[in-house]
Amino acid sequence: MTIHAQTMRQQFAAQAVIEELLRQHADTPPRSTFARFCGNSPLRSDSVSWYLGAKGEIVVGQILATLPLEWTSFHALPIGKKGSDIDHIVIGPGGIFTINTKHHAGKTVWVAGRGLMVSGQKQPYIRNAEYEAGRVTKLLRERMPLLPAAQPVLALVNPKSLTVKVQPDQVKVTTAAALRRWLVKHPVVLNAGDLAELAAVIDDPATWPAPLFPPTENVLARFNALDAEVLAARSRRRVWSFSGTLALCAAAFGAWLLLPAVLGAVLTGGPQ
């Protein structure tokens, strides 16, 4: 991932994911006029998950921006040596929270302890969330040894349903819509002085691993342009789908109107 700013607070939600998406998209051939007319997506199949991930992190970032003033959110923080990142870190009176966002719109999610399935498929999200929180706790305690451990959170964006049979021991699994309320209900464990010192530590780029890639120019503008193309293509496909359905209905209605005449001709042996 890339750090553009002098402080981590200036990283925006989904920045790391968007940068990777743009790197992948850079060598994608432009669509032909006919492909645009048909509503073909500008995204390659292997880029769709990055695009959806970015959209999900943006949603959660917008929710976190509504937290009370004593809460602070950071986004797209580098962790590890392979360019991976923490989607969001939130600090407030209730503690330290690492938030892993998953965008599974319209899908069923089932949780029982450390087991999690999305539409019947097992996913390692609980294990990954625990690992991320552990890494963050270790990094922050190098600067502030008495800090409480970071609480891992898995925030699901727009699932069709979320069934939690048994909450995992460490990870809170919740929908993005319920995230804010859950955060602010926590009892106070950090005072104002602790939070100010902690925010300064997180804000310092020296706390985090160095970036793997050079800066990506005009990140938001390029993503917004790509997003507009994706949405326009989706709208065009819907128009074509509706038009096709309408044409089928019209053909069926026309056939129904002609049916009596056709049957009459058949029964009388044809026109006289």
Side-chain angles (χ1 to χ4, degrees), residues 24-222:
Q24 291 189 8
H25 189 68
D27 59 358
T28 301
R31 292 172 296 164
S32 66
T33 301
F34 181 73
R36 289 175 179 270
F37 180 74
C38 292
N40 291 3
S41 174
L43 298 173
R44 299 198 314 247
S45 58
D46 58 351
S47 297
V48 172
S49 62
W50 292 95
Y51 172 77
L52 293 177
K55 297 286 280 188
E57 289 185 32
I58 289 170
V59 168
V60 171
Q62 292 170 341
I63 292 170
L64 297 178
T66 69
L67 285 166
L69 292 177
E70 61 268 26
W71 291 77
T72 305
S73 301
F74 299 87
H75 311 286
L77 297 163
I79 198 77
K81 299 179 180 179
K82 298 182 179 180
S84 57
D85 73 299
I86 305 295
D87 297 344
H88 318 273
I89 292 181
V90 181
I91 62 172
I96 307 164
F97 304 87
T98 58
I99 301 175
N100 190 317
T101 296
K102 295 300 178 185
H103 191 182
H104 288 304
K107 296 185 178 180
T108 59
V109 181
W110 182 90
V111 182
R114 300 186 82 243
L116 184 148
M117 293 193 294
V118 177
S119 296
Q121 300 295 315
K122 291 183 179 180
Q123 301 294 343
Y125 297 160
I126 303 299
R127 180 195 66 196
N128 294 348
E130 291 173 348
Y131 175 77
E132 289 180 353
R135 289 298 307 274
V136 168
T137 298
K138 181 179 179 181
L139 282 174
L140 297 182
R141 282 180 174 171
E142 289 175 359
R143 304 279 292 273
M144 297 178 66
L146 299 181
L147 282 176
Q151 160 78 62
V153 180
L154 185 62
L156 303 167
V157 177
N158 296 329
K160 179 180 180 181
S161 64
L162 170 59
T163 301
V164 180
K165 293 293 186 180
V166 180
Q167 273 284 0
D169 291 337
Q170 298 182 43
V171 181
K172 172 64 178 179
V173 182
T174 182
T175 62
L179 177 61
R180 183 188 187 279
R181 182 181 179 186
W182 178 80
L183 286 170
V184 299
K185 285 172 59 179
H186 277 72
V188 174
V189 296
L190 293 173
N191 60 39
D194 294 331
L195 289 171
E197 183 179 358
L198 178 57
V201 170
I202 298 174
D203 205 23
D204 183 0
T207 301
W208 309 97
L212 294 181
F213 301 101
T216 302
E217 300 297 328
N218 304 316
V219 178
L220 274 179
R222 291 171 59 191

Side-chain angles (χ1 to χ4, degrees), residues 247-267:
L248 286 174
C249 290
F253 182 68
W256 180 76
L257 290 177
L258 292 174
L259 184 59
V262 172
L263 288 176
V266 170
L267 293 174

